[in-house]
Amino acid sequence: MVPAPGTLDPLRAPHMAEGSAVKQPPASPKPHESERLLARLGPGLITGAADDDPSGIATYSQVCAQFGFSLLSVALFSFPLLAAIQEVCGRLSRITGMGLAANLAKCYPKRVVGFLVLLLCVANIFNLGADISAMAAGMQMLAGGNSEAYALIFGAVSLLLQVYVPYRKYVHYLKWLTWTLLAYVATAFVVHVPWGLALHATIIPSVSLHADYMMALVAVLGTTISPYLFFWQTAQEVEEVRLNKHESPLKTKPLQAFQQFRRIAFDTRVGMAISNIVAFFIILTTATTLHVSAATKGIKTAADAASALQPIAGHYAFLLFAAGIVGTGMLAVPVLAGSAAYAVSEMFQWRASLESKPSHARKFYYVLALATILGVCLNLLGFNPIRALFLSALVNGLVAVPFMFLLMLISMNRSIVGDFKLPWYLRFTGWVATGFMAAASLGFIVSALRVFLAR
């Protein structure tokens, strides 16, 4: 590249004499190690952080208020399953340069893919409604005011940011929002945790065949491994390829494979580790405080959990937990709406990119806006957020298994990935995760039906 007139060519600068009339500009400071590390984190980090959304927190709070430390081990043993399936997602999109829905549409009938994408959108809308409701309730506890007004504000702010802020800037905003997850870690150190009992329950699982316990177990697994995470991570890998001119799909430039697979593995494992660590501390906090409280039966939402913490664990624990609900909601809402928009747009081969201006990707932004608006409307119409949470968990449980099954198949299909074979450990762990999730989904449905029919 030829330097602009009047500027110094950095290639010649080192060879100039000390007495040269042209002054050398100060050397750019080398990026700090933490900056280089953060730069390598992206789709995996944001996806993992979005997994701990307010509706997920509500699920953790409900089951742990009832069962105490019994489910702490889930946060430990679900990590390799979640990390493996998300790493498969990242590899697939980096190899092909396409998102999950686009890859599925190449291999399977459009009606089948369309039906699964429709179920994903329904689940995401219910999840959006539950998350926005929890954020509004959390803000109301912190600052007073009207929860419906907060729901409108949160929905509008999230939508405007996604529509008018380019992806390259927006992704930095999402990265910084991941720090809000530390609120849940900090909360655990405000309360008095019996660490001996907690560590024992973490390492040695406590299993019960009681219907209520099984329903709680599969609910936690269902809120941890959700289809919207698959679509978001694959779509963001595609966005990264578009933004970086020196990068291409690996089928086009296979020499980049080693570096990119290492980055995806690091990014995904760190992101999923953070997700599970935060889930561990949420379970730990609620099990320590709410399990022994008479208020346990009233725990139905993340906001209920925050309210119940105040008389037990003190005002600081309440503030941290409530603030975490708002922060994680602002991270999860765009991921839920965005994953639905990417899935629909990829299926119909519409332009899909948060980097594009609204006028260049109208249909993509229409889907994104519709999902967000419907989520807000669920709150304004008085739709029960607990019912929304139940429905989203039920649909996610139904949809996750076929998506995981098809994901594993196309990731080993040479017509899709070429010569890029999945490593044996990803094949093994991916299929174990799929089988485990199938059993969990079946158990969830059976348990939910039993409870429903018993009423």
Side-chain angles (χ1 to χ4, degrees):
M1 182 184 297
V2 179
T7 62
L8 182 64
D9 185 347
L11 296 178
R12 294 179 57 196
H15 304 288
M16 289 187 175
E18 290 185 2
S20 174
V22 180
K23 295 183 178 180
Q24 297 183 24
S28 300
K30 292 184 178 180
H32 192 271
E33 181 65 27
S34 59
E35 294 177 359
R36 291 198 298 269
L37 187 64
L38 188 61
R40 294 183 63 191
L41 300 174
L45 173 67
I46 295 169
T47 303
D51 197 18
D52 292 313
D53 65 326
S55 62
I57 295 163
T59 301
Y60 296 141
S61 300
Q62 288 179 66
V63 299
C64 295
Q66 184 177 0
F67 294 102
F69 293 134
S70 300
L71 293 165
L72 267 176
S73 59
V74 177
L76 176 64
F77 294 114
S78 65
F79 166 68
L81 308 182
L82 178 61
I85 209 72
Q86 290 299 142
E87 187 174 339
V88 172
C89 288
R91 289 171 62 100
L92 174 67
S93 55
R94 182 59 70 154
I95 291 168
T96 63
M98 297 187 298
L100 180 55
N103 278 300
L104 289 173
K106 289 181 66 177
C107 298
Y108 303 103
K110 199 168 185 178
R111 289 183 180 180
V112 174
V113 179
F115 178 69
L116 293 175
V117 168
L118 175 62
L119 292 179
L120 168 80
C121 292
V122 171
N124 281 14
I125 289 168
F126 284 129
N127 217 332
L128 277 164
D131 282 357
I132 291 172
S133 173
M135 293 163 64
M139 194 66 191
Q140 186 179 39
M141 289 187 297
L142 290 171
N146 185 280
S147 62
E148 292 182 351
Y150 286 132
L152 279 171
I153 292 170
F154 284 133
V157 169
S158 177
L159 181 57
L160 290 173
L161 286 173
Q162 290 180 89
V163 172
Y164 293 107
V165 178
Y167 171 79
R168 69 184 72 205
K169 293 182 180 179
Y170 191 61
V171 73
H172 290 298
Y173 154 76
L174 292 178
K175 279 186 182 182
W176 282 109
L177 268 179
T178 60
W179 287 98
T180 60
L181 294 173
L182 292 177
Y184 298 114
V185 179
T187 306
F189 291 98
V190 174
V191 303
H192 299 289
V193 176
W195 289 103
L197 290 174
L199 293 175
H200 182 270
T202 303
I203 298 171
I204 303 176
S206 175
V207 180
S208 170
L209 297 179
H210 193 276
D212 287 345
Y213 180 88
M214 289 301 298
M215 187 173 181
L217 173 63
V218 296
V220 170
L221 289 172
T223 198
T224 302
I225 304 176
S226 299
Y228 73 88
L229 302 177
F230 313 156
F231 285 89
W232 178 260
Q233 183 158 355
T234 54
Q236 298 321 290
E237 287 290 346
V238 175
E239 292 276 21
E240 293 293 329
V241 171
R242 289 174 182 155
L243 283 178
N244 298 295
K245 294 181 179 179
H246 64 281
E247 294 182 6
S248 299
L250 299 181
K251 289 182 74 174
T252 305
K253 291 188 177 180
L255 293 179
Q256 296 180 356
F258 179 74
Q259 179 184 3
Q260 291 300 331
F261 288 158
R262 285 188 63 187
R263 179 196 59 78
I264 290 169
F266 175 77
D267 180 26
T268 303
R269 292 167 194 175
V270 169
M272 300 312 127
I274 291 174
S275 172
N276 281 56
I277 289 170
V278 171
F280 174 86
F281 278 102
I282 295 170
I283 294 170
L284 183 66
T285 300
T286 53
T288 300
T289 56
L290 306 183
H291 181 56
V292 297
S293 170
T296 293
K297 294 183 180 180
I299 304 299
K300 295 182 177 180
T301 68
D304 291 338
S307 295
L309 275 175
Q310 187 165 10
I312 305 167
H315 190 59
Y316 289 115
F318 157 74
L319 288 176
L320 286 169
F321 205 87
I325 293 170
V326 177
T328 55
M330 287 302 295
L331 175 64
V333 166
V335 172
L336 285 161
S339 60
Y342 279 115
V344 173
S345 300
E346 289 168 7
M347 187 183 66
F348 289 108
Q349 298 182 339
W350 299 338
R351 183 178 179 86
S353 175
L354 286 171
E355 183 68 16
S356 299
K357 294 181 179 179
S359 58
H360 296 161
R362 292 182 185 276
K363 294 177 181 179
F364 169 76
Y365 283 107
Y366 285 156
V367 177
L368 190 150
L370 182 62
T372 306
I373 291 169
L374 288 176
V376 174
C377 287
L378 289 178
N379 291 273
L380 300 182
L381 294 175
F383 193 81
N384 188 336
I386 303 308
R387 185 174 299 172
L389 175 61
F390 172 80
L391 289 173
S392 66
L394 178 60
V395 177
N396 274 328
L398 289 170
V399 177
V401 177
F403 271 132
M404 292 169 72
F405 181 76
L406 296 178
L407 169 67
M408 293 302 298
L409 288 180
I410 62 176
S411 295
M412 296 186 296
N413 187 334
R414 292 195 64 174
S415 67
I416 298 295
V417 299
D419 294 328
F420 295 103
K421 296 181 180 179
L422 279 178
W424 70 268
Y425 62 88
L426 282 182
R427 291 198 304 271
F428 174 78
T429 314
W431 282 117
V432 169
T434 304
F436 202 68
M437 193 63 188
S441 298
L442 180 62
F444 179 83
I445 293 169
V446 171
S447 299
L449 286 174
R450 285 179 178 174
V451 173
F452 180 77
L453 294 173
R455 290 179 179 178

